[in-house]
Amino acid sequence: MPAVSEIEVEVVDKVGRAQPASDELCYHCGVPCADSNILSDDKSFCCEGCKLVYEVINEKGLCDYYKLQNHPGLAQVKAIRSDKYAYLDNEDIAKQLYTFTNGDHTIVTFYVPGVHCSSCMWLLEHLNRLDGGISESRLNFSAREVTVHFSRKKISIRKVTELLATIGYEPYISLDEAGEKKTKTYNKQRIFKLGVAGFCFGNIMMMSFPEYFSGHNGLEAQYANLFRYLNLFLSLPVFFYSASEFFATAWSGLKQKSLNIDAPIALAIIITFVRSVYEITTNTGGGYLDSMSGIVFFMLAGRVVQERTWKSLSFSRDYKSYFPIAVNVVTANGVVSRKLQDLAEEDVVQLYNDEIIPADSIVLKGRAYIDYSFVTGESEPVEVKQQEMVYAGGRQIGEQLTIQIIKPVAGSYLTSLWNHYAFSNNKSETNEKESIIHTLSKYFTVVLLSLALLTAVYWYFVDPSLIINSVSAMLIVACPCALLLSATFTNGNIMRLLSNNGLYLRDPSVIEQLGNTDRVVFDKTGTLTEGGNELITSKGYTLTDVDKEMLYAVVRRSKHPNSRMLASWLGGRTASEDVAAWKETAGKGIDAIVNNNRILVGSGGFVGLSRERVISDQASVYVSINDKITSFYLHSDFRQGVSEMIPELTKQYKLSLLSGDNNKQQPILEKLFGSNNELHFEQRPIDKLRFIEALQQKGHRVMMIGDGLNDAGALQQSNVGITLADDINNFTPSCDAILDAKKIATLPSLLKLAKSSATVIGFSFFVSIIYNVIGLYFAMQGMLKPVAAAILMPCSTISIVLITTGFSSILAWKSGLSLKSDK
């Protein structure tokens, strides 16, 4: 037998779905069918779960679900434990999910991540045909929330939840649901105010036209007074209702001894209204009510445009959105469900595969294989022996596990991260105070009031009768609405363009912070790399097809993550080989006999390698077939587009990498990032936060891009924290923006567009300054007439809107970004 070193080769492949045994696609979810024997009504399915969903839907006569869209199931349906939702039989836990109940009729809203198409909507809104106890169900498609009305005398909340899971729409229930209900509603009051302002503005303009264009003859007195008083009547709801938020914000700023951008707007609205009331009641003119209502309408319209962009996304999540609402506690009377908040030290908890560790604990029974990737960033699961500690936030992989709580939930390492002072900072308020618009508004107000005072002093000595006319005209025509509109509509359009390309911002202030960024920091695991897209490198003995068949028969029986990865890499196979013996030893590996061949899968020592060889190899898993050894290296591969995106960013920014993972991929990452950028490995969450803080103390404006709870502190501490999400509606830690993982390659273009917003605002501000100079020139001389103000105001507003939307759209197009959403 030749020595391993003599036949050493290297093979690289990526883990994907198992290769299909035929070209058949699953009738439910569209996944290639690895087993062609799973059939129902002559239709092929990839697994028993998808087959069960079809049979349930077919039995109830709901197969129109499959007619609306081919293969509407988002993914393969996983089997669930029969007691997974047993905790919902505990009324103390269940009532935390109720939106309403009168003892029988109950309303509950579930977050359903699997919703993705019209078929999903159709099926979820016909739940009453699946069970008579459900009277009504409605889906909020954008929020992926289904609201179910049901009778508790006919069906329990547990059965409703299990029904959703059975048909492939398992709800996501977390500890966050147990807190105060935070309804993600749109600002309806602002919509009502906008509608009122729009209606009144249009009618006031229409009834002002006759007076504006009547020439020197004027309207007949009876009609002139009628139109003027009608305009005054229509202006009342605009002034007292629609404009109320400008008055409230301005007053709030004055109480804090600060002049915000709403202060001069509120002053202009008041002056315009008061002067108009004076002119109409004294029969000396028609007033400026059209200008006043126009200011309010366009200001509100701009704010509504901004608000719509991010209304359905959550940017302020903590560990409660990740932790379960209840756990199974072992007591003297058996296993009972208990609320997470009621867990105490020394409680014994049962965990199953894919469940979260609720608090720092020690392992009492079972094989602990913990995935800490969402907490520490370490990509490889950690094996923990009995009587050793496991930490809150880790996810158990594999068999049932029994643990004992040693710290309360609030005292765990993970939850203590949220006590850091970084989480007490209100970044929105800080960003607003640092905004260029906030700064300019102070100077604008001071300069305007100074000019008004000088004008009043001048006319006091020249012609006192023109003081009121000149000063009030100045405050009306020099309203900073053009400045604010330039920022509002520029930011609103850029937020729309960014969201069309997968970047969703918390609020407009984030755009300016993105533009000011000079340092970009990346997390690695789950951000630059992608779970389920593992890279496998093998060295040593090259497996034949027969060897791969035998190896597949061995590893497919194991629940160990490395075994699963190898099984996926080997692809869909028949597994028909005769496995005469199979034994798995915890912490070591698998020993099996297949077709009279001895196969070992596990650690280096388990397959017979020397300690020195294992240390030099540092392989993830070894396979020995009749003493012929193959070393397998399992790595998470980079996301598509990352290899092009990082070099592009290095042209504009200094980059850093902070990874909780080990340094196995350091050579690859050094080649990707270049020699001028920093790479740091085995970083704890607090280390990441402190690194960001140190950069800021050196004067850097830092943007952090991460994906997990381990990045939460760094995301909060950074000037801009961006969470990368494979599904923008799934759990993401608190952040300033959410980036669709599929669009990560466009990050350089997205940042370039955000930076260009200052140019667009500057140009439109220049246009508004020209408008103000022209208006002030006439107003200070007492020459400005209502008709001139009525023409200048809408012309300025429309020109600003056209400039901002057009200019920013052109810049997005030149950056290679899409102008329309692809959703």
Side-chain angles (χ1 to χ4, degrees):
M1 182 180 69
V4 171
S5 59
E6 294 175 352
I7 56 173
E8 219 169 52
V9 295
E10 182 171 328
V11 180
V12 179
D13 200 357
K14 288 184 184 179
V15 173
R17 291 191 182 275
Q19 297 299 317
S22 67
D23 294 332
E24 289 284 347
L25 298 180
C26 177
Y27 185 70
H28 177 70
C29 69
V31 170
C33 298
D35 187 345
S36 59
N37 296 320
I38 305 177
L39 301 171
S40 180
D41 295 338
D42 297 325
K43 296 174 176 61
S44 298
F45 298 91
C46 63
C47 62
E48 291 293 338
C50 288
K51 176 185 173 184
L52 175 63
V53 173
Y54 167 76
E55 290 173 344
V56 170
I57 292 173
N58 185 45
E59 180 185 352
K60 299 296 182 179
L62 294 172
C63 279
D64 283 347
Y65 171 67
Y66 295 102
K67 294 179 181 178
L68 294 172
Q69 181 169 318
N70 291 331
H71 316 301
L74 180 64
Q76 290 173 297
V77 179
K78 297 179 181 179
I80 62 169
R81 297 192 330 270
S82 59
D83 63 343
K84 181 173 182 178
Y85 294 105
Y87 64 84
L88 292 176
D89 290 334
N90 184 327
E91 184 61 20
D92 286 339
I93 297 173
K95 67 183 181 182
Q96 296 180 84
L97 302 178
Y98 298 154
T99 303
F100 166 84
T101 184
N102 61 5
D104 179 24
H105 181 73
T106 302
I107 303 174
V108 63
T109 298
F110 291 115
Y111 171 57
V112 186
V115 171
H116 67 287
C117 68
S118 57
S119 290
C120 303
M121 178 179 289
W122 186 87
L123 182 60
L124 289 172
E125 294 197 344
H126 287 81
L127 293 179
N128 59 319
R129 292 173 61 179
L130 291 173
D131 193 292
I134 298 174
S135 58
E136 181 184 359
S137 55
R138 287 288 178 267
L139 177 69
N140 181 335
F141 189 84
S142 62
R144 299 188 181 185
E145 292 178 342
V146 60
T147 300
V148 183
H149 298 241
F150 65 96
S151 169
R152 291 171 62 188
K153 293 180 179 179
K154 298 179 180 179
I155 184 173
S156 66
I157 187 173
R158 174 183 175 181
K159 294 297 182 183
V160 171
T161 307
E162 290 175 343
L163 174 62
L164 288 168
T166 300
I167 61 175
Y169 296 98
E170 184 174 4
Y172 183 80
I173 303 174
S174 67
L175 178 61
D176 199 38
E177 306 293 328
E180 182 182 348
K181 299 295 181 184
K182 293 173 269 190
T183 308
K184 293 186 216 173
T185 57
Y186 196 47
N187 190 337
K188 292 182 179 179
Q189 280 293 323
R190 184 171 285 167
I191 289 291
F192 294 151
K193 290 177 180 179
L194 177 64
V196 169
F199 172 80
C200 296
F201 171 55
N203 282 280
I204 291 172
M205 283 293 293
M206 182 180 66
M207 287 186 285
S208 298
F209 284 147
E211 182 165 341
Y212 292 156
F213 299 108
S214 61
H216 296 289
N217 297 325
L219 284 173
E220 293 184 20
Q222 57 181 355
Y223 295 115
N225 287 329
L226 173 63
F227 287 149
R228 288 173 180 176
Y229 278 97
L230 282 174
N231 285 345
L232 180 58
F233 174 76
L234 287 170
S235 72
L236 295 177
V238 177
F239 182 79
F240 289 104
Y241 176 62
S242 298
S244 58
E245 68 177 71
F246 301 106
F247 301 143
T249 308
W251 177 244
S252 176
L254 289 174
K255 286 195 297 184
Q256 297 177 13
K257 299 180 180 180
S258 172
L259 286 175
N260 55 40
I261 192 64
D262 281 350
I265 292 175
L267 180 61
I269 292 172
I270 293 171
I271 295 286
T272 307
F273 181 74
V274 170
R275 175 167 172 172
S276 298
V277 171
Y278 171 78
E279 288 188 3
I280 292 171
T281 54
T282 59
N283 201 26
T284 56
Y288 300 82
L289 295 174
D290 49 351
S291 297
M292 183 208 73
S293 55
I295 292 171
V296 175
F297 173 72
F298 284 110
M299 291 287 100
L300 289 175
R303 294 182 180 185
V304 167
V305 168
Q306 288 183 348
E307 190 177 14
R308 280 195 69 87
T309 305
W310 68 90
K311 71 183 182 72
S312 64
L313 299 178
S314 179
F315 295 91
S316 301
R317 290 164 167 164
D318 60 16
Y319 68 94
K320 293 180 182 179
S321 300
Y322 181 61
F323 275 33
I325 191 174
V327 293
N328 295 321
V329 177
V330 180
T331 67
N333 299 320
V335 179
V336 299
S337 297
R338 186 173 295 173
K339 292 187 293 184
L340 199 69
Q341 303 96 312
D342 295 339
L343 277 182
E345 293 182 31
E346 299 186 0
D347 278 348
V348 177
V349 174
Q350 267 188 6
L351 294 178
Y352 296 88
N353 179 49
D354 212 34
E355 290 190 343
I356 304 297
I357 298 170
D360 295 349
S361 313
I362 58 171
V363 178
L364 297 181
K365 182 181 177 182
R367 178 182 171 190
Y369 211 76
I370 312 300
D371 176 8
Y372 285 119
S373 60
F374 212 61
V375 179
T376 65
E378 173 63 53
S379 61
E380 295 186 9
V382 177
E383 188 166 356
V384 182
K385 298 177 182 179
Q386 291 184 14
Q387 299 305 314
E388 291 184 347
M389 280 195 65
V390 289
Y391 297 94
R395 187 185 296 273
Q396 163 66 355
I397 298 174
E399 63 188 47
Q400 179 180 318
L401 185 67
T402 303
I403 60 176
Q404 185 175 42
I405 307 297
I406 62 171
K407 288 183 181 179
V409 176
S412 67
Y413 165 73
L414 177 64
T415 54
S416 66
L417 181 64
W418 263 262
N419 294 327
H420 193 277
Y421 63 82
F423 288 88
S424 63
N425 296 334
N426 189 325
K427 293 173 75 173
S428 293
E429 289 184 3
T430 302
N431 292 345
E432 184 179 343
K433 290 178 181 178
E434 295 176 354
S435 169
I436 186 174
I437 298 301
H438 182 82
T439 303
L440 286 175
S441 68
K442 294 180 181 178
Y443 293 110
F444 185 95
T445 305
V446 171
V447 170
L448 178 59
L449 293 178
S450 299
L451 288 175
L453 179 61
L454 289 174
T455 302
V457 171
Y458 173 80
W459 286 115
Y460 176 79
F461 293 104
V462 177
D463 187 353
S465 64
L466 292 176
I467 292 178
I468 295 178
N469 184 66
S470 300
V471 171
S472 59
M474 283 182 63
L475 294 175
I476 293 170
V477 77
C479 167
C481 63
L483 167 60
L484 188 55
L485 277 174
S486 66
T488 301
F489 279 91
T490 297
N491 289 336
N493 194 46
I494 286 181
M495 286 185 72
R496 179 186 66 83
L497 292 168
L498 292 175
S499 66
N500 287 348
N501 289 275
L503 181 61
Y504 305 86
L505 307 185
R506 185 193 65 240
D507 59 51
S509 67
V510 179
I511 297 176
E512 194 168 328
Q513 295 301 316
L514 282 171
N516 294 334
T517 296
D518 61 7
R519 190 70 175 262
V520 180
V521 179
F522 286 96
D523 169 53
K524 181 178 79 72
T525 305
T527 302
L528 298 181
T529 60
E530 182 177 15
N533 190 30
E534 281 74 20
L535 187 71
I536 290 187
T537 305
S538 63
K539 287 185 178 181
Y541 170 68
T542 304
L543 301 179
T544 66
D545 286 340
V546 174
D547 293 332
K548 290 179 179 179
E549 291 284 351
M550 293 190 296
L551 180 59
Y552 180 74
V554 173
V555 297
R556 69 185 290 270
R557 298 185 175 196
S558 173
K559 293 183 178 179
H560 193 286
N562 288 346
S563 296
R564 291 179 177 181
M565 204 177 295
L566 282 175
S568 183
W569 175 73
L570 290 165
R573 297 175 185 273
T574 59
S576 59
E577 282 68 19
D578 180 22
V579 182
W582 190 92
K583 180 182 179 182
E584 186 170 21
T585 304
K588 294 184 178 181
I590 305 169
D591 189 346
I593 303 295
V594 182
N595 296 341
N596 297 319
N597 295 283
R598 189 181 185 194
I599 299 178
L600 302 175
V601 181
S603 64
F606 184 70
V607 301
L609 292 178
S610 66
R611 180 177 176 81
E612 292 75 17
R613 170 69 184 276
V614 172
I615 293 174
S616 64
D617 272 3
Q618 291 189 340
S620 302
V621 64
Y622 295 87
V623 173
S624 171
I625 301 179
N626 296 327
D627 297 326
K628 292 176 288 188
I629 298 174
T630 305
S631 307
F632 285 93
Y633 302 82
L634 313 180
H635 307 290
S636 294
D637 196 14
F638 293 120
R639 292 183 181 274
Q640 185 176 0
V642 165
S643 298
E644 295 78 26
M645 180 266 293
I646 294 295
E648 186 66 27
L649 280 179
T650 57
K651 299 176 183 177
Q652 308 172 52
Y653 304 96
K654 181 76 178 291
L655 307 183
S656 298
L657 176 76
L658 301 179
S659 175
D661 210 344
N662 55 48
N663 62 352
K664 285 184 179 179
Q665 290 185 284
Q666 184 169 350
I668 301 173
L669 290 164
E670 285 178 344
K671 184 177 179 181
L672 178 64
F673 276 78
S675 58
N676 295 327
N677 297 298
E678 300 179 37
L679 306 179
H680 300 274
F681 299 92
E682 299 181 358
Q683 297 289 296
R684 298 174 302 160
I686 192 65
D687 296 331
K688 295 183 177 184
L689 189 154
R690 288 170 178 166
F691 181 85
I692 300 291
E693 194 173 27
L695 289 177
Q696 291 172 326
Q697 289 173 355
K698 295 177 182 177
H700 291 291
R701 311 288 293 184
V702 185
M703 179 175 72
M704 171 71 190
I705 304 175
D707 75 308
L709 285 174
N710 61 305
D711 303 316
L715 290 168
Q716 183 67 19
Q717 178 64 41
S718 63
N719 299 92
V720 181
I722 299 180
T723 295
L724 199 71
D726 291 290
D727 184 334
I728 61 171
N729 292 287
N730 278 353
F731 174 81
T732 52
S734 181
C735 58
D736 301 302
I738 299 174
L739 175 62
D740 188 341
K742 295 186 290 293
K743 301 296 183 67
I744 189 171
T746 64
L747 183 60
S749 297
L750 294 171
L751 295 179
K752 184 178 179 181
L753 176 61
K755 186 171 287 189
S756 69
S757 66
T759 304
V760 179
I761 292 174
F763 181 73
S764 54
F765 179 57
F766 173 73
V767 174
S768 69
I769 287 294
I770 293 176
Y771 153 73
N772 280 331
V773 169
I774 295 173
L776 287 172
Y777 172 78
F778 291 103
M780 292 177 73
Q781 300 180 67
M783 299 166 55
L784 192 66
K785 303 297 181 183
V787 63
I791 293 173
L792 282 174
M793 180 64 70
C795 286
S796 170
T797 301
I798 293 171
S799 63
I800 291 298
V801 172
L802 291 177
I803 288 170
T804 56
T805 55
F807 198 2
S808 54
S809 296
I810 290 172
L811 290 172
W813 175 73
K814 290 183 67 176
S815 299
L817 298 175
S818 173
L819 300 184
K820 294 182 179 180
S821 175
D822 57 2
K823 297 185 178 180

